[in-house]
Amino acid sequence: MAKVIVVTSGKGGVGKTTTSASFATGLAMKGNKTVVIDFDVGLRNLDLIMGCERRVVYDFVNVLNNESSLKQALIKDRHTENLYILPASQTRDKDALTEEGVERILTELKESFDYIVCDSPAGIEKGALMALYFADEAIIVTNPEVSSVRDSDRILGILAAKSKRAIDGAEPIKEHLVITRYSPKRVEMGEMLSIDDVTDLLSIPLVGVIPESDSVLGASNSGVPVIHDIESDSGQAYADVVDRFMGVNLPLRFLSVEKKGLLSRIFGN
Amino acid sequence: MMSFLDYFKGKRKPTASVAKERLQIILAREHAAGSAEPDYLPALKREILEVVSKYVSVDKNAIQVNVERDDNCEILELNIALPEHKKELAASN
């Protein structure tokens, strides 16, 4: 049975699209037929992060409005087998995302995919609500920072009240926490909320911690999801997220502070 | 307050613990508010007030809407205080 997974956070700029791209790529690398959908209608960016921006012909809204078939709009990823991207529309069409329309597309996708990853826009407006409405599981992306934690908490409330599963009284959406932009050094100095702080506050199971890393910007610069950067700590941390999501028990990594020598302390990083 | 000397010693107030405390308080409060008040309530209140205002001049604070939950039912309670003396109201407006 195909699973619908929403990647959401409430707050913008915390790494939803980065996480969606790497998570979907990781699922596909494991042999799962995976599609990742950009729900940010009007502000599409998943195509850039996935590196397929020049191959967008039709988009999500075209399919919703029956202007193209799903097959025409799906973009096959060039780096990874089993991976497809459904880009958002760039024109702002608020009313395009209807419950019926989204349901129709998801139902059709469920026939041929194992995982449907929904990259939610920021906020709690229509796009974000539609991204989470049909979800079976949710990945909550949170930075160890006050506004992100509060907004994640708010989103958890919405998942529990406004999702289809909640309204139907079905089994609740399974929630997974991904903490991004984590800096062990700043946590050690008492400047940043720790993993325990964030998990205490949100009280949902942790599926991974992505360390603050230059490689994330490098990956978005070049349009290759950071999970492909197997040398980088954040790439490996995303690979761990995928493994844990699929039930593998792995210890957390990249949480200790690198000890620097005197020279690098003086001359910087 | 951080002293001048503390700055050079590298001692800082651990702001992470402040952040956690603040979040604990605000999340608890928002959870309590969330369970007590459905989110249609503000709009409902506004619209009822609009309708009532068509016929009677009422203060916007004169309306109280409460939702009470029992084990198996919810009670929506509406209270609108009507002005006692029209003359006074006209004068105050």
Side-chain angles (χ1 to χ4, degrees), chain A residues 12-27:
Chain A
V14 298
K16 278 183 300 297
T17 302
T18 297
T19 300
S20 298
S22 280
F23 179 66
T25 302
L27 288 173

Side-chain angles (χ1 to χ4, degrees), chain A residues 170-239:
Chain A
E171 198 184 320
I173 292 175
K174 196 173 172 192
E175 298 150 340
H176 311 269
L177 177 65
V178 172
I179 300 176
T180 54
R181 308 201 66 168
Y182 192 74
S183 166
K185 191 179 157 199
R186 305 193 74 183
V187 172
E188 195 173 82
M189 291 169 77
E191 291 176 0
M192 182 182 266
L193 291 167
S194 70
I195 296 167
D196 288 344
D197 291 340
V198 179
T199 50
D200 276 359
L201 288 159
L202 295 177
S203 48
I204 59 169
L206 182 70
V207 77
V209 179
I210 315 299
E212 172 81 69
S213 164
D214 295 339
S215 49
V216 173
L217 181 59
S220 78
N221 284 344
S222 41
V224 180
V226 72
I227 196 170
H228 282 303
D229 187 354
I230 51 172
E231 302 280 298
S232 74
D233 47 3
S234 47
Q236 293 173 40
Y238 272 119

Side-chain angles (χ1 to χ4, degrees), chain B residues 9-48:
Chain B
K9 282 198 237 159
K11 268 189 198 165
R12 293 183 196 184
K13 193 172 190 287
T15 52
S17 52
V18 179
K20 190 179 184 187
E21 272 171 42
R22 291 175 60 215
L23 279 166
Q24 278 169 331
I25 294 164
I26 193 69
L27 295 190
R29 206 158 80 189
E30 284 172 352
H31 289 177
S35 59
E37 209 181 90
D39 39 306
Y40 59 76
L41 225 56
L44 177 81
K45 205 165 155 177
R46 199 174 55 241
E47 283 173 37
I48 287 175

Side-chain angles (χ1 to χ4, degrees), chain B residues 15-77:
Chain B
T15 52
S17 52
V18 179
K20 190 179 184 187
E21 272 171 42
R22 291 175 60 215
L23 279 166
Q24 278 169 331
I25 294 164
I26 193 69
L27 295 190
R29 206 158 80 189
E30 284 172 352
H31 289 177
S35 59
E37 209 181 90
D39 39 306
Y40 59 76
L41 225 56
L44 177 81
K45 205 165 155 177
R46 199 174 55 241
E47 283 173 37
I48 287 175
L49 195 66
E50 274 170 28
V51 175
V52 174
S53 307
K54 273 190 190 172
Y55 304 94
V56 197
S57 182
V58 286
D59 187 72
K60 67 172 186 292
N61 296 317
I63 181 165
Q64 284 183 335
V65 185
N66 288 313
V67 178
E68 275 178 43
R69 284 201 180 90
D70 270 337
D71 287 339
N72 48 11
C73 72
E74 281 181 53
I75 301 164
L76 181 70
E77 190 186 70

